[in-house]
Every structure is written in C-alpha cells, then in structure tokens.
C-alpha cells in the first residue's frame, strides 16, 4: 500500500457492528458469543434469551447487529422468535450447539486474519483540540474494526488537496474523515470526491457551495448562549473579537450568534466594539481595541487563543479580570491552562463528534448513495473565574 499505509495504523477489537467487509466478522462474533452464552448459562429448551438491546449492550454492538445474529440462529433452528415476546432456545441437541461454537470461533479467527479495513483522517494540526478529536476517532474506529491512517495538512488547502489525491489512489482505504483548515472553499480534489461519490465526512466544518456529510458543533447557538450568559450576569456593553471569518463557517456562525444574542436582548452593538481580522491575536492590537472601547464591561472572544491574548493585553493596561473586564472564550482549549486565571469558555465536546464522524463515514462506505447529512452537536458553557456578575 506504499508509504501512506505505514502511518498510524492500529490493531482493532471487534465490538461494534459495521457493514461491508467487516460485517460478517462482527456478525459471526456476536452469533458465536450467543451460542457460548447458551452453553455457559445452561439455558434450557423454550427458555427466553436476553433481548436484542441486552445483547447489544453486553457485547458492545448495535441493536441491528444483535438482531441479525439472533435472526441467523433462528434460520438455523437453534432458537425461535416470537414478536413482542422475545427469543427462545429451541429443543436442540446441546452437542450441536457446542460444535457450532467451535466452527464459528474458527471462522471468526480466519476472518480477522484475512480482512482489514482502513479509512484516512486528515487534520490541520495537533493541538489539544485536534488531539482530542483524534483520540475519539481512533477509539470509535477501533470499536468498529477499522484501522486509521492519520495525515496532517498544517491547515493548508494545497496540502489537503495533495493528501486527498494520494489517498484516493489507495484501494485499501475505504473513506476519509477530513478536518479542513481555515479556508473552507471546495478544491478540485474535493470536487472529484463529490463527483465520484467517494465516502468522505467533514469534521467541525461545513462547505457552503457543495453539500458533504458534516459533523460539527453548533457554533451559532454556542455564541448566542455565551452572549445570553453575559447578559444574565448584568452585562450590556459586550464586545466581540474574532480572526477573519472569510470562508470559515465556524467563525462566521459565532459572529452571527453574537449579533443574534445582542439583538434579541435589545442591546446596542457598537461598530468599534466588533473587531474581526487575523491581527486580533497581537497583544498590541488588542491593547488598542481596549483603549478605544473603555466602556465595555465584557468581551466575547471567538476562540480561546484570542481570549488568552486579550487577558495579557488587559494586564498590560492595568485592567483586572474580571473586576474591570469580563472575558469569555470559545472551545475550552488547553491553552487556557497557561494563564493564572481560570477562563470561562464555551466547550465543544469532542466524544460525540468523533464517534458520529466514524458512524456516518461507515454508513457512507456501506452505501455511498445515502443522502448527505449535517449533524450539529450542542456546545456548553463552562463557568469559571473570568466573568463577573454586575448590577
């Protein structure tokens, strides 16, 4: 498979069902475990077996997998199923069941040796946020019997395009999870993926011009919640700072959420209080912003990096946080641990993001004609020490 197959592959466990090449292996595994359970628990003829849900929970698979395993045993007349009542052991020779366990165990072992499943993950960098997403995707892939090949784009679209081109040429790789960089415009290789119906899922980004399967946090609602939180704390003069929102849907939605929160609360938005640009991570620029906006009591920062830099800019001006100025960030990035103050922020949970990305990709691998899905994940306010309640 060349160099691309040498990076970051992992051994996997059979736990959760996937269709396609891995389905028979996992399906036989559950079926085999049910047969062993019948022997070990000495379940008698016409006695009820655990339900589909109980089997799914016990073996870490989906209800569909447990249902298919039970249906298979019913087809072999090992059990019988009665609608709305459950599954029951048939009057069958237990030696036959023991022999089936041995056969199934062997076939499962052979299946694992013969089959491997791969998908690729492209991420822009390995900061704490991307690292947490990577961890959750690896966990979800492992439970679905997939290896993951991890590639880094450095957030550069040309690198993403090159990686997508290389990955598409490797037949063993069945799909891609892409965390794009800041430039959310669709390149040539992404267009090729769309035309070819190649399985791909976007993480934490949405492309406006072309619809892909996308799993991302609800940035709009998260920003609106942040503004509402500040307003409930008594703030009405609330600023907004962000890096450039051009072609970056997440930042654009955070800005829209800020505007919606202010307008719905009938709070005035001053032009000078809203600053958007890539220089808003420079302490001197942020000092100028604070000097020009002396009347602000709170600032909502579109990411935690800006919140940290704003904290240091305020310190240089002799402003105390939160006594003189309240600050709230976005993401709950590890960078917040590098300042002495515990910063209030909007957390983007990554566990659900990672697991849904894998689930949707596998669905796409199994049936590339399924309509694209956009799934928004709820954010949450993490209340710490950087926001003061005022009268």
């Amino acid at each position: 498979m060349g160099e691309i197959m040498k990076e970051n592959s992992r051994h996997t466990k059979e736990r959760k069902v996937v269709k396609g090449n891995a389905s028979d292996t996992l399906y036989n595994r559950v079926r085999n475990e049910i047969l062993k359970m019948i022997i070990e628990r000495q379940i008698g003829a016409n006695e009820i077996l655990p339900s589909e849900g109980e089997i799914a929970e016990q073996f870490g698979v989906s209800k569909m997998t447990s249902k298919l395993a039970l249906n298979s045993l019913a087809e072999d007349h090992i059990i019988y199923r009665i609608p709305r009542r459950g599954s029951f052991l048939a009057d069958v020779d237990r030696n036959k069941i023991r022999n089936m366990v041995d056969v199934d165990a062997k076939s499962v072992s052979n299946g694992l040796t013969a089959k491997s499943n791969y998908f690729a993950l492209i991420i822009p960098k390995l900061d704490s946020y991307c690292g947490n997403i990577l961890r959750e995707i690896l966990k979800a892939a492992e439970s679905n019997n997939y290896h993951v090949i991890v590639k880094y784009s450095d957030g550069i679209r040309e690198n993403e395009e090159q990686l997508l081109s290389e990955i598409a040429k490797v037949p063993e790789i069945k799909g891609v999870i892409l965390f794009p960089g800041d430039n959310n415009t669709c390149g040539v290789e992404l267009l090729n993926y769309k035309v070819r119906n190649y399985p791909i899922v976007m993480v934490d980004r949405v492309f406006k011009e072309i619809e892909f399967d996308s799993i991302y946090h609800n940035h709009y609602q998260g920003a609106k919640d942040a503004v509402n939180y500040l307003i409930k704390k008594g703030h009405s003069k609330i600023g907004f700072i962000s890096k450039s929102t051009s072609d970056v849907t997440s930042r654009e939605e955070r800005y829209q959420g800020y505007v919606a929160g202010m307008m719905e609360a009938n709070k005035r938005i001053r032009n000078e209080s809203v600053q958007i640009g890539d220089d808003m991570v420079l302490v001197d620029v942020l000092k100028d912003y604070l000097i020009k906006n002396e009347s602000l009591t709170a600032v909502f920062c579109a990411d935690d990096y800006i919140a940290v830099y704003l904290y240091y800019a305020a310190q240089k001006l002799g402003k105390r946080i939160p006594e003189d100025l309240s600050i709230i960030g976005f993401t709950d990035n590890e960078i917040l641990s590098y300042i002495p103050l515990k910063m209030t922020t909007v957390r983007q949970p990554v566990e659900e993001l990672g697991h849904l990305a894998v689930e949707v990709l596998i669905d796409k691998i199994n049936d590339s004609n399924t309509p694209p899905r956009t799934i928004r994940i709820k954010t949450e306010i993490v209340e710490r020490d950087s926001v003061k309640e005022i009268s």
Side-chain angles (χ1 to χ4, degrees):
M1 294 175 59
E3 291 301 320
I4 196 168
M5 297 301 296
K6 295 180 181 180
E7 294 189 28
N8 300 292
S9 62
R10 297 185 53 173
H11 296 293
T12 59
K13 301 176 183 177
E14 294 177 290
R15 291 186 55 210
K16 188 177 179 184
V17 66
V18 294
K19 301 176 184 177
N21 288 342
S23 62
D24 291 339
T25 299
L26 293 175
Y27 162 87
N28 286 332
R29 172 69 178 268
V30 176
R31 171 189 161 100
N32 193 64
E33 293 297 327
I34 295 172
L35 291 170
K36 289 195 292 185
M37 178 180 64
I38 292 171
I39 298 296
E40 292 168 358
R41 298 186 185 180
Q42 298 184 344
I43 297 174
N46 303 311
E47 289 185 6
I48 191 168
L49 298 172
S51 67
E52 291 174 6
E54 290 170 336
I55 290 173
E57 183 175 357
Q58 179 175 348
F59 299 120
V61 299
S62 69
K63 287 186 179 179
M64 180 59 71
T65 304
S66 60
K67 179 179 180 178
L68 291 172
L70 289 168
N71 284 346
S72 173
L73 292 173
E75 290 173 1
D76 290 341
H77 307 292
I78 302 300
I79 67 173
Y80 59 94
R81 311 195 71 190
I82 301 176
R84 293 183 294 277
R85 289 189 58 191
S87 302
F88 301 80
L89 182 63
D91 190 0
V92 62
D93 187 343
R94 302 187 78 81
N95 286 327
K96 178 181 177 180
I97 298 176
R98 290 190 180 92
N99 290 335
M100 291 179 70
V101 169
D102 292 338
V103 170
D104 281 351
K106 184 177 180 181
S107 67
V108 169
S109 176
N110 290 341
L112 280 174
T113 302
K115 298 176 180 178
S116 294
N117 300 283
Y118 294 87
F119 68 78
L121 168 65
I122 302 175
I123 56 178
K125 53 188 174 182
L126 196 57
D127 61 4
S128 62
Y129 178 61
C130 289
N132 289 336
I133 292 175
L134 170 62
R135 183 188 67 243
E136 296 302 330
I137 287 175
L138 291 176
K139 285 166 58 178
E142 183 177 8
S143 67
N144 282 282
N145 196 33
Y146 269 79
H147 300 276
V148 183
I149 298 158
V150 181
K151 291 288 186 177
Y152 303 95
S153 69
D154 294 323
I156 301 171
R157 191 178 73 175
E158 289 75 13
N159 293 351
E160 290 176 5
E161 290 278 288
Q162 180 64 31
L163 291 171
L164 288 169
S165 176
E166 293 174 1
I167 288 167
K169 297 173 184 176
V170 182
E172 290 85 351
I173 298 177
K174 306 303 181 185
V176 177
I177 295 176
L178 172 62
F179 189 158
D182 286 345
N183 193 344
N184 285 22
T185 55
C186 194
V188 174
E189 288 301 326
L190 271 178
L191 287 173
N192 288 337
Y193 271 55
K194 185 69 176 180
V195 171
R196 293 171 50 208
N197 218 10
Y198 190 99
I200 185 167
V201 174
M202 302 295 163
V203 171
D204 219 31
R205 295 286 190 273
V206 176
F207 285 86
K208 293 181 178 180
E209 64 268 37
I210 297 180
E211 188 178 14
F212 291 93
D213 286 279
S214 300
I215 317 295
Y216 76 109
H217 292 104
N218 195 334
H219 303 280
Y220 172 86
Q221 189 61 52
K224 192 175 176 182
D225 290 344
V227 172
N228 290 338
Y229 169 79
L230 291 171
I231 291 172
K232 288 179 180 178
K233 291 291 186 179
H235 298 273
S236 59
K237 297 179 180 179
I238 303 169
F240 175 82
I241 306 175
S242 173
K243 293 179 69 177
S244 174
T245 60
S246 176
D247 296 323
V248 184
T249 52
S250 57
R251 294 179 196 156
E252 184 178 341
E253 290 185 3
R254 292 172 198 177
Y255 169 65
Q256 293 170 348
Y258 161 79
V259 171
M262 294 290 283
M263 292 183 66
E264 289 181 13
N266 294 317
K267 304 300 181 183
R268 181 182 176 188
I269 301 175
R270 298 176 181 271
N271 289 336
E272 62 271 20
S273 299
V274 176
Q275 293 294 317
I276 297 173
D278 288 335
D279 60 351
M280 298 310 294
V281 293
L282 302 176
V283 172
D284 286 341
V285 173
L286 293 171
K287 283 171 59 180
D288 290 340
Y289 170 83
L290 292 175
I291 292 170
K292 293 175 183 178
N293 291 277
E294 187 68 31
S295 63
L296 291 179
T297 62
V299 177
F300 169 46
C301 301
D303 66 62
D304 289 331
Y305 287 92
I306 294 177
V308 168
Y309 296 136
L310 184 65
Y311 168 83
Y312 284 116
Q315 292 274 299
K316 287 183 176 293
L317 293 174
K319 287 182 176 289
R320 300 167 300 164
I321 310 298
E323 291 82 1
D324 301 323
L325 180 71
S326 292
I327 300 175
I328 183 169
F330 203 108
T331 298
D332 198 23
N333 196 290
E334 188 180 1
I335 192 175
L336 297 181
S337 64
Y338 293 100
I339 60 174
L341 179 74
K342 294 181 179 179
M343 184 74 71
T344 299
T345 188
V346 180
R347 175 180 291 157
Q348 298 176 255
V350 296
E351 182 175 358
E352 186 179 3
L353 182 81
H355 284 254
L356 280 172
V358 172
E359 180 181 317
V360 170
L361 179 64
I362 292 173
D363 286 345
K364 204 73 173 181
I365 291 171
N366 296 330
D367 182 3
S368 62
N369 293 317
T370 55
R373 284 180 282 177
T374 298
I375 302 175
R376 295 175 177 84
I377 298 172
K378 183 177 175 57
T379 60
E380 55 194 29
I381 300 288
V382 182
E383 189 172 10
R384 298 191 179 115
D385 301 333
S386 64
V387 175
K388 175 186 177 182
E389 185 167 1
I390 61 177
S391 59

